[in-house]
Amino acid sequence: MSSRVDTDEDSDIKGSMWDLDQKLDQPMDEEAGRLKNMYREKKFSALLLLRLSFQSLGVVYGDLGTSPLYVFYNTFPNGVKDQEDVIGALSLIIYSLTLVPLLKYVFVVLRANDNGQGGTFALYSLLCRHAKIKTLPNQHRTDEELTTYSRSTFHERSFAAKTKRWLEEQESARSVILILVLVGTCMVIGDGILTPAISVLSAVGGIKVNKPTMSSGVVVLVAVVILVGFFSMQHYGTDKVSWLFAPIVLLWFLLIGSIGIFNIWKYGSSVLKAFSPVYIYRYFRKGGKEGWTSLGGIMLSITGTEALFADLAHFPVSAVQLAFTLVVFPCLLLAYSGQAAYLMNNLSHSQDAFYRSIPDKIYWPVFIVATLAAIVASQATITATFSIIKQALALGCFPRVKVVYTSKKFLGQIYVPDINWILMVLCIAVTAGFENQNQIGNAYGTAVVIVMLVTTFLMILIMILVWRCHWILVLIFTSLSLIVECTYFSSVLFKVDQGGWVPLAIAGAFLIIMSVWHYGTVKRYEFEMHSKVSMAWILGLGPSLGLVRVPGIGLVYTELASGVPHIFSHFITNLPAIHSVVVFVCVKYLPVYTVPEEERFLVKRIGPKNFHIFRCVARYGYKDLHKKDDDFERKLFENLFTFVRLESMMEGCSDSDEYSLYGQQIEHPRDGLLHNNGSTVSSIMDLTMSSVDSIVPVRSPHDMNITVRSSGQTSNQTEVDELEFLNSCRDAGVVHILGNTVVRARRESRFYKKIAVDYIYAFLRKICRENSVIFNVPHESLLNVGQIFYV
């Protein structure tokens, strides 16, 4: 293990790199495993690529694959009037599948993944690393040295550099980007409600096709029972049954593709004329406004495309692309073409086109597979919803809710209990509350098209800032995407009163919650920044801080990564004693998918040694998670002791060119990795000093001409003494001091601000998880310090 050590974040002085191979225990297999996970995009053997492509079917394509269950019903809810309408609708489906899932997502958007992570917040994290657009300004230059913090550099006069400067200067632009991300997140949550409702209800609807006397109420009841069981089983996770997902979805695709071929053979191949785009023009010319509004049903053929991107995490892009081009895309084309061929000969069967087109001999087997595929599709969407909520929570845009790992093997498999039950209640309400499947389809289409528009706007910035594409390519991508998606969006607007209001209402509620929470989080951080205590005041108190220093260690939790927080002054001015050792602990999330364990902690000293004050910054990515079985306190002290040892070593080091305390960082192998005897050890040590935060006397390079021989014994003795002191303080007891900052609106504030801060934010703070629970702090060692802040 190695640590990144920093005695002050505000100094530009960097220390040298140290080979810790003989000092710190870092097993080769752990390091190799970490590097293997870091570099997700690599060349795979043909056999491994096929295996991963097969596995991706169950996780990525379940939602997209179940669309044939309900597309034609939602396109023609009142039946089909003319055979040419069927060909026109099929033509629209073919080109929608080609332009959106195939060309836009599979071959363009999937490449914008953040080290294998997909979704709206993954795009936002990429942008935050390439431009300072994050609204919570808790980032520091040392964060950019992480091995997972990859970003591009621009030429000063390039269009990308100009765009970057404009975004960083315009606060309104940063706010608009954040709002777009939040809207996209809220719509994905809406998908998590609507996908299980429409998929399960459509699959179960096959019972009524074979048993016409059965009432619709029974079908809805069966669907509700399945949904209750589905959501109730979420806490077990999918680790034990996920191996079944890929075979089920593959069997589903093969079945619908084969049924499609059978129907084309049985009812005639004239339906294949739909591959000519001419029939799209004829469809709109003949149908007029009715044809235009039917696009809301056509668009359901590409639902699940956003989940395709959000569920990318465990598969390389090449595997997902191969699965789509070889299996998903051709089978979907065959399925829709077969249904269209059947409809051309049975114009009145549009409401049950899928089930009525199935040969009688295989009806019930297909019904069973369809129901299982609908459950898998729902699971994919729920997983994507949990994942994006975890990302939003990490970036300060969602109230603190409980997040549980459901798998020891796969980091991305999580369960959010509170959100799960909210989704279940809303999903059952949608399933039982709407009169027919068509209204759910209208709601579903509204949510999907808005998520796609958000992705398009974020992709424009990705192409400019991250990929640095030529403006012509950006223009082509933007034009094609917006033409298709704005066309669909204009269509779903006609159906807002026919069910389309549901996702808007759900998204509106979640948007208010997320916006208010983020506003409160930012204001609390700004309060901490503006009210932090000057080091001059701390120094004036002397080593005893003007108090009785009692044995023990006090861990003071703060959101500040630099400076002394106001909570500390509030504490020592109200209590007569303070612990012998004080450690300011800052836990912050960065716009990266993960922070490697050996790079997680930054430790530094505040003030002279006899003050015994330290700061420890624990950094996490949006996929990382605090787990109760993680001994956070133990890891913190391990890194603190490592810092003391390394600090003592640095004091005893010679002034050679290779180990200069005041020199620039030494040029070593890429990313600061030293290779010694075949092992790879991260050994970047940033040792900095200044008179602001770390009051250590700054000596000239001449004064630092101290060789290891002359000072080694003294430094070792100092190290032993301080380590013994720290251990004795730790044995005496550790107290966790947490700030409880209450945010209130000023009396002169406008009424909507008072409602947002005094009622909504206060309510969310009351019901969300406390920091003491997140950090697993025992109650007997907890001390809360309250303060009120007016905004």
Side-chain angles (χ1 to χ4, degrees), residues 693-708:
D693 197 19
S694 181
I695 312 300
V696 177
V698 179
R699 294 170 288 176
S700 66
H702 177 72
D703 295 332
M704 289 297 295
N705 291 342
I706 304 172
T707 62
V708 176

Side-chain angles (χ1 to χ4, degrees), residues 635-694:
K635 293 178 182 178
L636 188 152
F637 285 126
E638 283 179 358
N639 282 271
L640 179 61
F641 295 157
T642 300
F643 166 79
V644 172
R645 289 196 296 270
L646 292 173
E647 186 184 45
S648 178
M649 289 163 52
M650 293 293 284
E651 289 176 351
C653 133
S654 69
D655 65 333
S656 65
D657 292 338
E658 186 175 3
Y659 297 103
S660 173
L661 187 63
Y662 292 92
Q664 296 296 321
Q665 196 169 14
I666 302 165
E667 292 295 326
H668 277 288
R670 184 180 178 184
D671 294 331
L673 298 177
L674 291 180
H675 301 271
N676 186 20
N677 298 328
S679 64
T680 307
V681 183
S682 176
S683 59
I684 303 175
M685 296 298 153
D686 292 339
L687 192 60
T688 59
M689 300 178 183
S690 79
S691 59
V692 178
D693 197 19
S694 181

Side-chain angles (χ1 to χ4, degrees), residues 553-557 632-633 734-738 775-778 781-784:
I553 298 179
L555 300 181
V556 183
Y557 290 84
F632 179 81
E633 184 180 309
V734 178
V735 174
H736 301 257
I737 305 170
L738 273 69
F775 300 131
N776 200 26
V777 177
S781 304
L782 175 64
L783 179 62
N784 274 309

Side-chain angles (χ1 to χ4, degrees), residues 297-357:
I298 300 288
M299 200 198 60
L300 295 180
S301 63
I302 55 176
T303 55
T305 304
E306 192 61 35
L308 177 156
F309 182 42
D311 286 327
L312 181 64
H314 297 297
F315 304 99
V317 172
S318 54
V320 177
Q321 292 173 334
L322 188 65
F324 187 84
T325 51
L326 292 185
V327 178
V328 179
F329 187 62
C331 287
L332 286 176
L333 291 183
L334 289 171
Y336 287 118
S337 299
Q339 284 189 53
Y342 174 83
L343 271 180
M344 288 180 67
N345 291 271
N346 301 274
L347 297 178
S348 61
H349 291 175
S350 62
Q351 293 190 359
D352 308 307
F354 175 78
Y355 279 112
R356 289 185 181 274
S357 65

Side-chain angles (χ1 to χ4, degrees), residues 1-2 25-38 596-598 679-681:
M1 185 187 89
S2 67
D25 184 18
Q26 176 67 54
M28 287 178 57
D29 54 346
E30 289 185 12
E31 185 69 15
R34 181 181 67 81
L35 293 175
K36 184 178 179 181
N37 290 332
M38 274 178 18
E597 192 70 34
E598 63 273 14
S679 64
T680 307
V681 183

Side-chain angles (χ1 to χ4, degrees), residues 355-382:
Y355 279 112
R356 289 185 181 274
S357 65
I358 299 173
D360 294 336
K361 293 182 179 180
I362 61 170
Y363 183 87
W364 289 113
V366 172
F367 170 79
I368 294 172
V369 176
T371 305
L372 293 175
I375 293 173
V376 172
S378 302
Q379 183 61 57
T381 310
I382 295 298

